Amino acid sequence: MFRFRPTTLATSRTLQRYGNRSNNLQPSASTSWRGFQGEHLSLARNYSVTTVRPKEEDSDSNSGGDGNNSNNNSNNKTEPQVILPSRVSFGEDVPRLPHTYALPLVSKPLFPGLITSVTLTDEATIEAFENLTENNNGQPAFISTFLRKNLTTGVTEGGVHLPTPEVIHDKNDIYSVGTFAQIQRIQRGSASDNASSSSSSSTANGKSASSATGSTTTTASTINGNSSSSNTDHSAETATMILLAHRRVDLVDIDEMGPPIDVQVKHWSRLEHTGNDQAIRALSNEIISTIREVAQVNALFRESLQFFPMRVQGDNPFKLADFAASISASGSPEDLQAVLEEKDPEMRLHKALVLLNKEREVSKLQKEISEKVEEKLSEAQRKYFLTEMLKSIKKELGVERDDKEALIEKYKKQLAEYPEVPKEAMATIQEELDKFATLEKNSPEYNVTRSYLDWLVSMPWGVVKDENFDITKARQQLDRDHYGLEDVKDTILQFIAIGKLVGSVQGKILCLSGPPGTGKTSIARSIAASLGRDFYRFSVGGLSDVSEIKGHRRTYIGAMPGKIIQCLKATKSTNPVVLIDEIDKLGSGFRGDPASALLEVLDPSQNFSFRDHFLDVPVDISKVLFICTANELERIPGPLLDRLEVIKLSGYDLPEKVAIAEQYLVPKSMKESGLMVEKTKPATENETTDDSSEATKDTEATSSSEETSVDEEDDFGTTPLEKFKHADGVPSTLEITTNALKSLARWYAREAGVRNLAKYIDKITRKLALQVVAESEEAELTKKSTRKSDTWVIDEENLSDYVGKPVFTTDRLYEDGALPNGIVMGLAYTSMGGSALYVETQGIKRGLDSDGKQRGGGTLKVTGQLGDVMKESTQIAYTVARAKLSELEPENDFFDKTDIHMHVPEGATPKDGPSAGITMVTSMLSLALGKPIQSDLAMTGEISLTGKVLAVGGIKEKIMGARRSGIKTVVLPSACQRDFDEIPEYLKEGLTVHYADDYGTVYEAAFAESISSS
């Protein structure tokens, strides 16, 4: 026999305590009601509870007490009521009622032999069950319980609890097999009262055996001295009912859907078992073994078994299966219902064993998780205790102070290393240190103050890095990294010379302006290296937040200083070289105007006391060399541009591009592609160390001429071709010839910079690397990638095999010879450099109308995506052309009878500016006079209404664009002669220049005759 709470022993103790009486058991004077209540529950299967009152209080009581008891209690009128357990039927001995009330259950069915509590929420059902218990003449009241078939868990698909789960609307809403149960007690109470008294029911795992709303109460905690329901508050919303299950029943029919539900039931007969089946015995033993195993793993399961009132016999498979299923908390309602409906003992045991195995696996997993969590907590606690002990020991020994004291000491030590801290900054730092010393570590102000102190102390107060005042070395550094850019190099050398003479170095604000790819950004790093200063770069392209320049105020979460203060902290000096890239692309928005914020930063008269919003103390940035880069100066605001020293970088012409490609781009690309490696020079008697070798190079470079030359590799290029050799496995004849580079620059990459030229060179070296590896491995390549010539030399003939067909096929739209009437070449300057463009005009002559009058005439139409300034120039040019035509040929009425259409080709490219004025006038006069212009002539200049030729900019870039197009004759305004004189001589070679004050000179150069002679 397997039992969890011996009922026989409990009965023996109860008889000894209350006396061995067969019919009446009364508690002794020393026994409390709670103790009697517990023993009563242990005997619940053998006794029912009846109430006996003294005769003095209720003479009509039919409680069956004897006369001696009445006489003994007659003198004590306040004697409480007495609870007398009496012998009643249980299990198969209870009556078999064919008609009962039915109670739908949720979560799990009720198994015979169990005592459980159910919470009722339907008022009609509560009243019916109360009337059943009160009007049953002192006899036990019985109902039938059935598990709900739909919404078994009591929760809808939307996650809403059923308000009245004991109410159904169809017979199919409940299962057909249920349990015949006796109502032990029913008591009303509010929902909050039931929730507050909820605890474990009489199940093995401490969870609810069956519940209507999910709220169950312990049997022992709900039975009290007053079992009568006559004093119940009928206004309560819920009621708790204690049920004792007896036997299984089948649902025959529902007489009334209720509530309450009135049903007809058929009681199951007692199921017998001989006990000879070996399979059943094995299953019984396995169930008992599994229960013990789960009890060992799950402490809550083991504790609940000690309070389980049901006695289990191991030789009764039916009761053992019911007991096993009832204590399984992991089983689904459907699985538990299957155990309840099963009649075959072996199958019932098997289904119960499956549920116990699930419970065992869940318990093992729960134990494993608990052990892992406990292990982590134990390890964390151990580390915490050890850390605290170590801190206490170090503090007692004086080895280490707490974090706050250590930080304050660190700050003071760091401040002592600076040469000089300004008074205002020092006062602020000291004030913050005093405040920091009084703050607790958990205070919200602690981290804010600490962050502020970190930035204040990390500023390089008075730290100035040593600089290079050697002009020769600075020149070598600049020439080694960049070709040309003489204006920039001269400015830096002047800056170094002034610093050497004065003995102190001051900051400067430079602005490098020019087309993309001309080396503006890269030259800034070389300037820092030549000066011996630290370098810091940040881009302001698209920047629209003032806080990026001047920092955030400390009132914001996550506030931090601006880029200027971050620069000083990163370089740890007050005299770095700071590159502000793309300053012409500053944005503006609701967060402020960064261009206005830069006015203080880039003003030498203000930036000696720059105040960042975060630091809020003056910081001297006057020793910083600021270098800005821009593509278009017109986009920089006037007040900001006024503070900049602008150095214009023009684009590279063909000879410069070829020199840069040979000395820089080709060696760099060959090295990155693995086709070449640096040479290693063995030490000789004259060259014992690398330092002496470098010194020799520097001496040779110093003595060499300052004139730019392609052959002077020591002056130009960090990676000249002669410093490299072919890598192993690469043919020694592999090279890119000068003619190939000229073709690349002329027919593929005509932009002002060398960025596209570098891309084409990289494309060639990549394909060469593929061909070298493929031929060494004898791999097959596609037709496009296969080497088509027998040589590894890339020249003008096989260049198209590596970079494709040329982008540009001719230098000019119109070849040699005279141009068609009305077409003149002009010179323009864009952000990409100088270029030559044509201005075309065409006349549209109208016929006569029906009255013999001229149709049309005297109108001008312009196309070519021209800007507003250029459109105004067309109107001025049209007026000047009509005036000049009347001077040349007074009888000529071309403009009166003809509509003029003027177009500037490449309509997809926006064009603007006044420099095409004289070109437009010349084009209209050529059309009106019927005289063509030479194809090798180009002009630029603005025209006024009186015919004056006004100055324009970008002369060097325009001359370079003219040379690329093969122009031999150029017409320039007289005011631009000084700009032409400053350009290099090699750009002037072969050019004939005409300077014009008024349009008469332009007419003479274009038509080879003067206006007066015409």
Side-chain angles (χ1 to χ4, degrees):
M1 180 181 293
F2 180 80
R3 63 182 66 183
F4 293 95
R5 185 181 178 95
T7 306
T8 304
L9 180 59
T11 306
S12 176
R13 289 199 302 267
T14 306
L15 293 177
Q16 292 176 5
R17 180 178 299 174
Y18 304 117
N20 189 5
R21 302 180 182 181
S22 59
N23 295 325
N24 297 325
L25 292 176
Q26 298 180 2
S28 61
S30 60
T31 304
S32 65
W33 164 244
R34 190 173 299 277
F36 180 77
Q37 167 186 275
E39 295 298 337
H40 167 70
L41 289 180
S42 299
L43 300 174
R45 62 185 303 162
N46 296 323
Y47 297 94
S48 64
V49 181
T50 60
T51 303
V52 178
R53 299 181 181 272
K55 292 182 178 181
E56 289 80 5
E57 297 181 8
D58 188 4
S59 59
D60 296 333
S61 175
N62 55 358
S63 61
D66 57 13
N68 293 333
N69 292 335
S70 299
N71 295 331
N72 292 338
N73 298 330
S74 62
N75 298 327
N76 189 1
K77 295 183 179 181
T78 60
E79 181 179 356
Q81 62 182 357
V82 179
I83 304 301
L84 298 179
S86 59
R87 185 77 181 184
V88 296
S89 300
F90 176 76
E92 297 298 331
D93 298 332
V94 298
R96 297 175 175 267
L97 302 179
H99 292 272
T100 64
Y101 285 141
L103 177 64
L105 302 177
V106 295
S107 298
K108 57 170 58 179
L110 181 61
F111 286 92
L114 280 181
I115 299 176
T116 189
S117 63
V118 180
T119 301
L120 305 176
T121 56
D122 181 65
E123 181 62 29
T125 304
I126 295 173
E127 291 181 358
F129 288 168
E130 287 178 341
N131 295 333
L132 180 65
T133 56
E134 293 175 359
N135 302 326
N136 205 26
N137 298 325
Q139 296 298 320
F142 298 93
I143 63 172
S144 299
T145 63
F146 299 91
L147 181 66
R148 291 184 65 101
K149 185 179 297 184
N150 61 337
L151 304 178
T152 310
T153 59
V155 181
T156 63
E157 295 180 357
V160 180
H161 286 275
L162 291 175
T164 55
E166 57 268 37
V167 177
I168 63 173
H169 303 286
D170 188 79
K171 179 181 179 180
N172 295 326
D173 289 345
I174 58 177
Y175 285 96
S176 60
V177 178
T179 309
F180 186 69
Q182 176 184 343
I183 301 177
Q184 294 283 34
R185 187 180 67 85
I186 182 170
Q187 181 179 0
R188 284 183 179 261
S190 64
S192 60
D193 293 339
N194 289 330
S196 63
S197 63
S198 296
S199 61
S200 60
S201 180
S202 301
T203 57
N205 58 359
K207 296 184 179 180
S208 170
S210 64
S211 173
T213 62
S215 174
T216 59
T217 58
T218 304
T219 308
S221 65
T222 54
I223 301 179
N224 51 36
N226 185 9
S227 62
S228 175
S229 61
S230 60
N231 298 326
T232 305
D233 183 8
H234 289 270
S235 63
E237 297 179 356
T238 62
T240 302
M241 184 169 60
I242 307 298
L243 296 177
L244 171 61
H246 290 291
R247 71 168 71 92
R248 289 169 169 81
V249 293
D250 289 329
L251 177 62
V252 177
D253 195 8
I254 296 180
D255 294 337
E256 185 178 351
M257 196 63 65
I261 308 171
D262 191 359
V263 298
Q264 297 181 25
V265 296
K266 179 181 179 182
H267 295 258
W268 282 29
S269 302
R270 181 190 299 271
L271 299 177
E272 301 293 340
H273 173 64
T274 59
N276 296 326
D277 194 340
Q278 297 296 327
I280 293 179
R281 181 172 298 179
L283 286 172
S284 300
N285 293 337
E286 182 63 23
I287 287 178
I288 295 173
S289 176
T290 305
I291 292 175
R292 289 173 175 168
E293 186 177 352
V294 176
Q296 292 177 356
V297 175
N298 194 331
L300 184 61
F301 186 91
R302 181 172 61 253
E303 182 179 354
S304 300
L305 287 178
Q306 298 177 0
F307 298 98
F308 201 88
M310 182 177 180
R311 188 177 73 171
V312 182
Q313 296 179 353
D315 56 353
N316 190 331
F318 299 105
K319 293 184 177 180
L320 181 60
D322 290 348
F323 173 74
S326 64
I327 64 177
S328 175
S330 301
S332 64
E334 292 77 10
D335 294 337
L336 295 173
Q337 179 67 26
V339 176
L340 185 68
E341 296 178 357
E342 185 58 53
K343 293 184 178 181
D344 183 68
E346 182 177 350
M347 290 303 299
R348 186 184 295 185
L349 287 172
H350 180 74
K351 292 179 180 179
L353 181 59
V354 171
L355 294 176
L356 281 177
N357 285 332
K358 290 182 180 179
E359 185 71 24
R360 178 178 59 187
E361 297 302 322
V362 172
S363 298
K364 288 182 178 179
L365 180 60
Q366 181 179 354
K367 182 180 179 182
E368 182 180 351
I369 295 174
S370 177
E371 289 177 351
K372 290 182 179 179
V373 173
E374 185 177 356
E375 182 181 354
K376 291 182 179 179
L377 291 176
S378 300
E379 183 66 21
Q381 290 176 353
R382 179 174 175 272
K383 289 183 178 180
Y384 174 76
F385 287 132
L386 290 177
T387 303
E388 292 299 321
M389 290 174 61
L390 181 61
K391 288 182 179 179
S392 300
I393 293 173
K394 288 184 176 181
K395 192 172 183 180
E396 291 295 331
L397 295 176
V399 177
E400 183 178 298
R401 302 180 187 180
D402 59 9
D403 294 342
K404 186 164 58 177
E405 293 179 358
L407 281 174
I408 294 176
E409 185 177 350
K410 172 189 172 183
Y411 291 148
K412 292 181 178 180
K413 182 179 179 181
Q414 193 169 350
L415 286 172
E417 297 176 355
Y418 294 133
E420 181 181 3
V421 181
K423 291 182 179 180
E424 185 175 348
M426 192 64 195
T428 303
I429 294 173
Q430 189 61 48
E431 182 182 349
E432 293 295 324
L433 285 174
D434 295 340
K435 182 176 73 172
F436 184 69
T438 61
L439 293 175
E440 293 295 333
K441 193 171 184 179
N442 296 328
S443 172
E445 193 72 15
Y446 180 87
N447 289 329
V448 177
T449 305
R450 177 177 176 178
S451 176
Y452 185 40
L453 281 171
D454 285 340
W455 279 101
L456 282 174
V457 174
S458 61
M459 285 293 97
W461 303 108
V463 178
V464 179
K465 294 290 183 68
D466 294 336
E467 294 186 276
N468 171 38
F469 293 115
D470 192 332
I471 296 180
T472 303
K473 290 184 178 180
R475 178 73 188 193
Q476 291 175 359
Q477 177 71 35
L478 293 172
D479 289 344
R480 187 162 54 245
D481 294 343
H482 289 82
Y483 183 92
L485 304 179
E486 295 301 324
D487 292 342
V488 182
K489 295 176 182 179
D490 289 343
T491 302
I492 299 305
L493 295 180
Q494 296 167 10
F495 181 75
I496 296 174
I498 293 174
K500 185 174 184 178
L501 294 175
V502 176
S504 62
V505 179
Q506 295 298 320
K508 201 172 184 67
I509 296 99
L510 303 178
C511 180
L512 307 181
S513 172
T518 53
K520 299 183 299 297
T521 302
S522 59
I523 191 64
R525 191 179 298 273
S526 298
I527 291 173
S530 64
L531 294 174
R533 293 190 179 193
D534 295 309
F535 179 76
Y536 187 88
R537 172 193 174 273
F538 69 94
S539 177
V540 295
L543 185 69
S544 60
D545 191 353
V546 175
S547 300
E548 292 291 329
I549 305 297
K550 302 199 68 174
H552 304 84
R553 301 192 183 275
R554 296 196 306 277
T555 54
Y556 299 113
I557 297 176
M560 62 186 304
K563 292 292 186 182
I564 306 301
I565 299 300
Q566 294 179 34
C567 154
L568 298 181
K569 180 182 178 182
T571 58
K572 297 180 180 180
S573 64
T574 59
N575 62 335
V577 174
V578 178
L579 174 65
I580 305 178
D581 217 354
E582 308 293 350
I583 197 172
D584 60 328
K585 299 173 181 63
L586 278 170
S588 62
F590 69 95
R591 297 181 183 273
D593 185 8
S596 300
L598 283 173
L599 294 177
E600 180 185 1
V601 176
L602 302 179
D603 191 346
S605 63
Q606 300 182 38
N607 60 13
F608 65 89
S609 60
F610 171 72
R611 279 185 179 270
D612 185 89
H613 289 162
F614 183 85
L615 292 186
D616 200 23
V617 294
V619 179
D620 185 8
I621 58 174
S622 61
K623 296 181 175 63
V624 177
L625 174 58
F626 289 101
I627 300 178
C628 308
T629 65
N631 296 124
E632 301 178 31
L633 295 177
E634 294 79 11
R635 299 180 60 179
I636 302 177
L640 182 59
L641 183 62
D642 183 60
R643 288 163 168 78
L644 307 177
E645 182 176 340
V646 179
I647 301 177
K648 294 186 178 181
L649 305 181
S650 57
Y652 300 110
D653 61 357
L654 183 61
E656 290 176 327
K657 286 186 176 182
V658 174
I660 293 172
E662 285 184 336
Q663 299 180 28
Y664 297 93
L665 303 180
V666 171
K668 178 184 175 183
S669 182
M670 289 277 194
K671 179 183 177 182
E672 291 177 351
S673 301
L675 298 175
M676 286 189 172
V677 294
E678 292 187 23
K679 296 179 180 178
T680 55
K681 293 184 179 181
T684 62
E685 295 179 355
N686 297 329
E687 298 176 339
T688 56
T689 61
D690 293 338
D691 293 337
S692 61
S693 175
E694 293 295 333
T696 303
K697 287 183 181 180
D698 293 340
T699 304
E700 293 175 356
T702 304
S703 60
S704 61
S705 173
E706 294 184 0
E707 183 179 356
T708 57
S709 173
V710 176
D711 298 330
E712 294 173 354
E713 69 175 52
D714 291 331
D715 288 344
F716 310 106
T718 55
T719 55
L721 195 58
E722 289 77 6
K723 291 185 178 181
F724 288 84
K725 66 177 183 179
H726 290 87
D728 295 339
V730 178
S732 59
T733 58
L734 187 146
E735 65 173 337
I736 302 177
T737 63
T738 303
N739 290 334
L741 296 175
K742 287 181 179 180
S743 297
L744 275 178
R746 185 175 182 181
W747 305 114
Y748 293 86
R750 284 188 177 182
E751 78 284 354
V754 293
R755 211 165 265 163
N756 280 341
L757 181 60
K759 293 179 182 178
Y760 281 112
I761 293 175
D762 290 341
K763 188 175 182 180
I764 294 173
T765 56
R766 287 197 304 268
K767 187 168 286 190
L768 286 173
L770 174 62
Q771 294 173 353
V772 169
V773 174
E775 294 191 11
S776 63
E777 297 179 356
E778 298 182 357
E780 184 177 354
L781 297 177
T782 61
K783 182 179 180 181
K784 187 176 181 180
S785 300
T786 304
R787 184 162 60 97
K788 298 177 175 59
S789 59
D790 297 333
T791 179
W792 288 98
V793 177
I794 309 301
D795 53 16
E796 192 174 2
E797 295 180 358
N798 60 356
L799 181 63
S800 60
D801 297 339
Y802 293 87
V803 293
K805 298 298 181 181
V807 178
F808 306 97
T809 55
T810 60
D811 289 323
R812 297 192 299 267
L813 182 62
Y814 297 94
E815 297 297 336
D816 296 338
L819 295 174
N821 296 340
I823 297 178
V824 181
M825 179 182 288
L827 298 176
Y829 173 68
T830 66
S831 60
M832 298 297 293
S835 63
L837 55 85
Y838 287 92
V839 174
E840 302 176 338
T841 55
Q842 189 63 263
I844 304 173
K845 194 168 185 179
R846 306 288 185 177
L848 301 177
D849 58 9
S850 58
D851 298 333
K853 297 181 180 180
Q854 183 71 33
R855 291 181 178 178
T859 61
L860 174 65
K861 178 182 179 181
V862 294
T863 55
Q865 202 171 349
L866 308 183
D868 293 338
V869 176
M870 203 165 184
K871 287 180 180 179
E872 291 182 353
S873 294
T874 60
Q875 297 297 327
I876 296 173
Y878 183 65
T879 302
V880 174
R882 292 178 66 103
K884 295 301 179 184
L885 181 62
S886 63
E887 294 180 14
L888 294 171
E889 297 180 1
E891 70 283 355
N892 192 334
D893 58 354
F894 178 81
F895 290 113
D896 296 330
K897 297 182 179 180
T898 308
D899 293 333
I900 305 300
H901 182 185
M902 179 180 292
H903 175 68
V904 181
E906 299 182 8
T909 304
K911 311 169 190 68
D912 202 3
S915 62
I918 61 174
T919 309
M920 295 176 180
V921 174
T922 306
S923 176
M924 294 182 193
L925 288 178
S926 172
L927 182 64
L929 296 173
K931 296 179 180 180
I933 307 297
Q934 292 296 321
S935 61
D936 60 350
L937 181 143
M939 59 185 67
T940 181
E942 183 180 0
I943 190 79
S944 69
L945 279 175
T946 58
K948 291 292 184 180
V949 180
L950 307 180
V952 293
I955 297 300
K956 180 180 179 181
E957 289 77 7
K958 292 177 179 180
I959 295 298
M960 293 170 60
R963 291 184 64 87
R964 280 196 296 267
S965 300
I967 299 301
K968 303 298 183 181
T969 305
V970 178
V971 179
L972 300 176
S974 297
C976 295
Q977 184 174 356
R978 58 181 179 83
D979 298 327
F980 182 80
D981 293 339
E982 292 177 357
I983 65 176
E985 291 297 329
Y986 69 89
L987 290 177
K988 304 176 184 177
E989 294 178 0
L991 279 181
T992 301
V993 182
H994 299 273
Y995 299 103
D997 290 321
D998 55 25
Y999 187 75
T1001 308
V1002 178
Y1003 183 85
E1004 292 177 2
F1007 297 99
E1009 62 182 32
S1010 64
I1011 294 180
S1012 59
S1013 63
S1014 300

